[in-house]
Amino acid sequence: LVWKLSVSKMPNAEKLAKKEKYFNKLIDLCVNSPNALMVGVDYVASKQMQDIRMELRGRAEVLMGKNTMIRKGLQIGHEKHPEAGMDKLRAAINGNMGFIFATNCTLDDIRETLKKFTRDSAAKAGQVSVVDWFIPAGPTGMDPSQTSFFQALNIGTKIVKGQIELISDFKILSQGEKVSASGAVLLGKLGVRPFEYKMEVQQVFQDACVFSAAVLDISDDVLIGKFLAGVANMAAFSREIGIPTEAGLPHMFGNAFRNVAALIADADFTFKEVEEVKKFLADPDAYAAANPVAAAPAAGGGGGGAAAAKEEQKKAVVEEEEEADVEFDLFD
C-alpha cells in the first residue's frame, strides 16, 4: 500500500504581496475616503460590474473581495486606526457584497449610476423569486396544442380564434418562494423575464458609522419638518414650566402684548403698536370697510351665518304652512 500525505503548502511571496496590497488599499479607503456604499451583488453579471466601474472611474472606487479577506483587512485596519470605525464595518460584512467608496462625488451620484445598469433575467426552476408576478387575463399567443403547460398549474383557459386565452389573472410567482419547474417553462414560453438584477445598496459607511441605506432617502423637507416640530415641542414645554427659552420668547411677547392691549382697550392711553387694535374696538364696521382684506374672513363667516338664518327661517315658514293645511274639521 502506498500512502500519500497531503502537505499544505504555504502561500508563495506573490500571493502574500497581493493580499498585502489589497489590505493596504482597503484600509486607505476606509481612513481617507470614509464615505462608502455597501452593495449586494447577487446575480449581477460581470458585464454589469465592468460597465459600473467604467462609469464611476475617477469619481468612485469599486472594491470587491472575499469576505474572509475583507474581515482580515478590516481587523488589521482597526488595530492601526481604532477611531476609523472599521470594527463596525467588519461586523456588517455578510453575504455576497462589496464596497463603492465615493472619492470625488456624493453617495447620491453613485446611487443614480447604479440605477442605470440593470439586467432582466428569466425565471429558473428552484430559484427564489424576488417579486410577485401575475400572468394577465387575455390572449397568450400560444396555440391550443400547448394547453398542457397551463393544466399543470391549474390555470383556467379557453380557446379563442385559434389561440389560448386566460380566463383571469393568475399569480405564478410569489416573493420569497421558489420558482416551480412548470412555472419557469411557462414563463419562458410566454417570453416573460420577470426578474431585474442590479447592485442593491444595503448599508452605508460614513464617518466611522454604519447605518441603513433608507436614511439616504430622507429629504431636506423631512429634516426641516422634524426640526420645526422639535422646536414647537420645546417652546410648549418651556411655556408650561415657566422657563424662558429662545423658542418660547415669541409666544411670551405675543401673550404679553395681548394682555397689554386688553388692559388699555378702555383706558385713555395708547401707543403705536396698539392703535390698530383700538381702532377696531372703537368702530368694527368702519375698520372692516377700510381694511377689506382683513375683514374678508369675518364677512365670509357673517355671510354664512346669514344664509343659515335665512334657511332656518324658510324651514319654519314651510312647517307653519304644513300645520295650517293639516288643521281641518271632519264635520265641515
Side-chain angles (χ1 to χ4, degrees):
L1 296 176
V2 180
W3 295 90
K4 293 183 180 180
L5 299 176
S6 60
V7 181
S8 60
K9 296 181 180 180
M10 294 294 292
N12 56 30
E14 185 179 355
K15 289 185 178 180
L16 290 175
K18 286 184 179 179
K19 287 185 177 182
E20 187 69 21
K21 183 179 179 180
Y22 181 86
F23 294 156
N24 293 336
K25 184 177 182 180
L26 176 59
I27 295 170
D28 178 69
L29 288 171
C30 290
V31 174
N32 298 321
S33 302
N35 291 323
L37 297 178
M38 303 172 66
V39 294
V41 292
D42 288 334
Y43 305 109
V44 176
S46 57
K47 184 65 168 63
Q48 280 180 273
M49 193 80 68
Q50 181 185 6
D51 292 340
I52 291 171
R53 287 182 185 274
M54 293 174 63
E55 184 74 17
L56 294 175
R57 186 170 295 165
R59 299 186 297 146
E61 188 75 28
V62 181
L63 187 65
M64 301 292 169
K66 294 182 178 180
N67 289 354
T68 52
M69 285 188 64
I70 295 174
R71 292 193 184 99
K72 182 64 176 178
L74 293 175
Q75 182 180 356
I76 296 172
H78 178 62
E79 294 172 357
K80 295 180 179 179
H81 307 278
E83 75 286 350
M86 281 183 266
D87 56 332
K88 300 175 184 176
L89 190 59
R90 183 175 183 270
I93 301 300
N94 184 27
N96 191 16
M97 63 184 304
F99 304 98
I100 302 180
F101 290 90
T103 56
N104 196 22
C105 66
T106 63
L107 298 179
D108 288 333
D109 293 337
I110 298 175
R111 295 174 73 198
E112 291 299 322
T113 301
L114 296 181
K115 291 178 182 178
K116 296 179 184 178
F117 300 96
T118 59
R119 178 178 66 91
D120 295 334
S121 177
K124 298 178 182 179
Q127 184 179 7
V128 178
S129 175
V130 294
V131 295
D132 292 326
W133 191 268
F134 290 84
I135 301 177
T140 62
M142 298 174 64
D143 60 85
S145 64
Q146 304 184 64
T147 54
S148 58
F149 296 106
F150 298 93
Q151 292 172 356
L153 295 169
N154 295 323
I155 303 175
T157 58
K158 60 182 179 179
I159 307 300
V160 178
K161 294 181 180 180
Q163 64 174 335
I164 302 173
E165 281 195 11
L166 265 66
I167 298 175
S168 60
D169 294 348
F170 181 79
K171 186 177 184 181
I172 193 168
L173 297 178
S174 298
Q175 186 174 0
E177 297 182 5
K178 290 185 177 181
V179 180
S180 64
S182 301
V185 173
L186 179 57
L187 289 173
K189 290 282 186 181
L190 295 173
V192 176
R193 302 170 70 87
F195 299 149
E196 188 178 75
Y197 296 119
K198 61 181 179 179
M199 280 193 181
E200 297 287 349
V201 181
Q202 297 176 345
Q203 290 180 300
V204 181
F205 174 68
Q206 190 172 50
D207 298 330
C209 295
V210 177
F211 51 87
S212 173
V215 177
L216 298 178
D217 296 326
I218 300 176
S219 62
D220 293 340
D221 294 337
V222 175
L223 294 176
I224 293 172
K226 295 289 185 182
F227 176 77
L228 293 179
V231 171
N233 291 335
M234 184 175 67
F237 183 70
S238 65
R239 294 287 295 137
E240 182 67 23
I241 63 178
I243 298 177
T245 60
E246 187 174 353
L249 284 177
H251 303 282
M252 295 175 64
F253 278 106
N255 291 339
F257 177 77
R258 283 195 291 269
N259 292 335
V260 172
L263 181 64
I264 67 171
D266 296 329
D268 190 15
F269 178 79
T270 186
F271 53 91
K272 182 179 178 181
E273 286 76 9
V274 83
E275 287 179 357
E276 294 295 325
V277 179
K278 298 197 75 171
K279 286 180 182 178
F280 176 76
L281 294 176
D283 192 352
D285 295 333
Y287 185 85
N291 301 273
V293 177
K310 290 180 180 179
E311 187 68 24
E312 291 293 332
Q313 185 177 2
K314 187 176 179 181
K315 289 182 179 179
V317 172
V318 172
E319 289 177 0
E320 289 178 1
E321 290 178 354
E322 290 179 353
E323 290 177 0
D325 293 340
V326 171
E327 292 177 359
F328 63 93
D329 192 353
L330 292 173
F331 300 99
D332 287 348

